[in-house]
Amino acid sequence: MIILIGGEKGGTGKTTLATNLAAMRAQMDRDVLLVDTDPQGSANYWVQSRDEEKIKPRVACIQKFGQGLSTEVKDLASRYQDIIIDAGGRDSIELRSALVATEKVYIPIQPSQFDIWTLDQMDELVAAAKAFNPELKAKVVISRSSTNPSVQESNETQKLLEDFINLDLANSIIRDRIAYRKAAKDGLAVIETKPKDQKATKEMEMFFQEVFNHE
Ligand SMILES: Nc1ncnc2c1ncn2[C@@H]1O[C@H](COP(=O)(O)OP(=O)(O)OP(=O)(O)O)[C@@H](O)[C@H]1O
Ligand SMILES: [Mg+2]
């Protein structure tokens, strides 16, 4: 499956979600490729830390920039069972290109930064990509939200999304937890840390299920 974690807003947790999904998929003995399209190279850096610490399973990663991304990804899809793309940046060529190649895009947003403009742009980018990729599904996932659970948060987001015909709300919510930052630093997925953060593990497993087992 080809999955894109994307969005125009910075720091929403795109790389965190992409790297966690990649490691979890690799744990299932799948041939996974993580594609890092960000010049900052955070996903690639995470893989390097993972390799330096000799953490198994290995996660393969390539960095890919520019317009050729969608062709490259479609080509790689015959060699890997799963491709997870980390694409960000304001209206980047990579984000547009990845939207054409992917089956599903998950767009993390932080509740504190609800930004209609960002969603508006994403809705338009998804609409444009659908001309070439009619089956594309786009979901907004609440990310880095406060650990004080609030039903209000999802209701508000749901309401906000009613205005965007191409965007739906994911069922999972990822909360702001230190465990994610610690894991990222060591090249780990949150479910691999010892001791395990039970809550982070549970919510990331739910998100994983939603991404790979839904629909
Ligand atoms: N759920 C979370 N809980 C706590 N910290 C998080 C969470 N998600 C991400 N972070 C931290 O927030 C920072 C930004 O996250 P991340 O790099 O995943 O976002 P991004 O959307 O990829 O950012 P960019 O737009 O710069 O690529 C990192 O320090 C990361 O460890
Ligand atoms: Mg990133």
Side-chain angles (χ1 to χ4, degrees), residues 9 11 29 41 57-58 66-67 69 112 119 125-126 143 148 163 171 191-192 195 200 206:
K9 193 101 187 172
D29 272 342
R58 272 206 78 223
Q67 225 150 20
L69 182 69
S112 57
L119 290 177
L125 286 186
V126 171
S143 170
N148 298 327
D163 292 338
N171 296 323
I191 67 156
E192 295 172 321
M206 269 186 68

Side-chain angles (χ1 to χ4, degrees), residues 7-17 38 40 42 86 88-89 108 143-145 174-182 184 203:
E8 298 185 301
K9 193 101 187 172
T12 56
K14 295 179 292 293
T15 302
T16 301
L17 295 182
D38 185 344
Q40 290 178 89
S42 328
D86 176 7
S143 170
R144 306 192 63 188
S145 88
I174 304 294
R175 300 196 182 278
D176 199 85
R177 302 183 194 278
I178 291 167
Y180 289 108
R181 281 195 285 277
K182 280 194 183 155
E203 73 191 4

Side-chain angles (χ1 to χ4, degrees), residues 6 12 30 33 53 60 66 68-69 71 86 92-93 116 120 129 144 154 158 163 169 190 210:
T12 56
R30 304 271 300 182
L33 179 68
E53 297 298 322
L69 182 69
T71 317
D86 176 7
S92 76
I93 289 172
I116 307 279
D120 219 20
R144 306 192 63 188
S154 339
Q158 186 82 62
D163 292 338
L169 183 62
V190 82
E210 179 170 357

Side-chain angles (χ1 to χ4, degrees), residues 99 105 107 121-130 136 138 166-167:
L99 281 167
V105 54
I107 304 151
Q121 291 293 308
M122 280 311 295
D123 195 47
E124 278 180 26
L125 286 186
V126 171
K130 275 187 172 175
L136 174 62
N166 297 296
L167 308 177

